[in-house]
Amino acid sequence: MNKQSNSYTIIYIIVLVVVVGAALAFTAMGLKDRQQQNADADRMRQILAAVHITPAPADVVADFGKYITSQAVVNSRGETVGDDAFAVSVAAQVKLPADERQLPVFICTLPDGSLKYILPMYGAGLWGPIWGYVALDSDATTIYGAYFAHQGETPGLGAEIEKPAFSDQFDGKTIWKDGNFMPVAVVKKGQPSPSGEDYVDGISGGTITSKGVSAMLSDCLKPYEPYLLTLRLK
């Protein structure tokens, strides 16, 4: 075949695309398990961060198994309907009506023997999804710790939700006021909470992201109210 002809060039390009495509597909398939393991380990790291545990990268899986001593999946009536919280996609569940969601709970036992209940959340920021975890003390009322993350918020602005300077504000806040369930609000710095609930200062210059976190807390925590009430009555 004439290597200078158009037909040769077209055939050469087609073969090259097929070979490269097959190689990439084979590589992706070979790395799929490793990628999933890395994603799972990162999720475990984030869950542990909500209770102020920061293991070394090599110890994440082991520490998750050590400190997360139980898991549960509950419904909006507070009934336990499963025991594999890690298998639940919170991103998928928040698309459902609140009374139809499966609600994951990670139960952590700290070295001092105290129990913490870690509840996952998922919402929307300015440029993409935001998510996080809130850890409650055994009284199911007081926030022990929190962790937040994002996919594409603006560096130096909305992206600051992942910094301890923001998440540490939640420590010690309560989600019940005078017997009423009231998730913590995120408000503009210097302003009071709108309805008397506990609140934290939003990110300066990150108003939409801050509102997204506040909406996420309300939308994702309220369905847990019946379950948390059963914990308070124990």
Side-chain angles (χ1 to χ4, degrees):
M1 180 179 291
N2 183 5
K3 294 184 178 181
Q4 305 302 319
S5 66
N6 290 336
S7 59
Y8 177 85
T9 301
I10 293 172
I11 293 173
Y12 179 83
I13 292 173
I14 292 174
V15 172
L16 183 63
V17 169
V18 170
V19 171
V20 172
L24 290 174
F26 179 79
T27 301
M29 291 176 61
L31 295 176
K32 185 176 181 179
D33 289 344
R34 177 72 61 85
Q35 291 171 337
Q36 186 60 53
Q37 291 172 4
N38 290 340
D40 289 347
D42 186 56
R43 186 176 167 201
M44 293 176 185
R45 177 191 63 79
Q46 295 179 26
I47 293 170
L48 292 175
V51 288
H52 307 296
I53 296 174
T54 55
D59 299 329
V60 170
V61 175
D63 280 1
F64 184 84
K66 175 182 178 181
Y67 294 111
I68 304 301
T69 50
S70 182
Q71 299 181 35
V73 181
V74 302
N75 60 25
S76 62
R77 295 183 294 279
E79 302 164 337
T80 300
V81 295
D83 59 7
D84 190 357
F86 202 81
V88 177
S89 170
V90 181
Q93 293 301 311
V94 296
K95 298 177 182 178
L96 301 174
D99 60 355
E100 296 180 11
R101 297 179 192 173
Q102 292 187 335
L103 308 170
V105 181
F106 298 92
I107 303 169
C108 173
T109 303
L110 294 182
D112 63 2
S114 62
L115 290 179
K116 311 298 175 187
Y117 296 88
I118 306 172
L119 312 179
M121 302 168 293
Y122 193 91
L126 175 59
W127 302 113
I130 56 177
W131 61 91
Y133 299 89
V134 168
L136 300 176
D137 281 327
S138 57
D139 63 3
T141 296
T142 309
I143 294 179
Y144 177 77
Y147 174 87
F148 300 98
H150 65 93
Q151 180 172 294
E153 299 306 286
T154 307
L157 298 175
E160 295 297 298
I161 64 171
E162 67 182 0
K163 301 293 182 61
F166 176 72
S167 60
D168 286 352
Q169 295 182 88
F170 287 82
D171 295 7
K173 303 296 184 183
T174 61
I175 58 173
W176 295 86
K177 290 289 185 181
D178 299 322
N180 297 313
F181 187 69
M182 303 178 71
V184 176
V186 182
V187 301
K188 186 175 181 180
K189 189 173 183 179
Q191 293 185 351
S193 61
S195 304
E197 66 268 70
D198 277 3
Y199 64 94
V200 301
D201 292 334
I203 302 296
S204 297
T207 302
I208 294 179
T209 306
S210 298
K211 289 182 177 179
V213 174
S214 193
M216 175 176 69
L217 286 163
S218 178
D219 177 61
C220 292
L221 292 183
K222 281 185 176 179
Y224 284 97
E225 179 179 353
Y227 173 72
L228 297 176
L229 184 58
T230 65
L231 297 179
R232 294 186 72 202
L233 296 175
K234 284 186 177 180

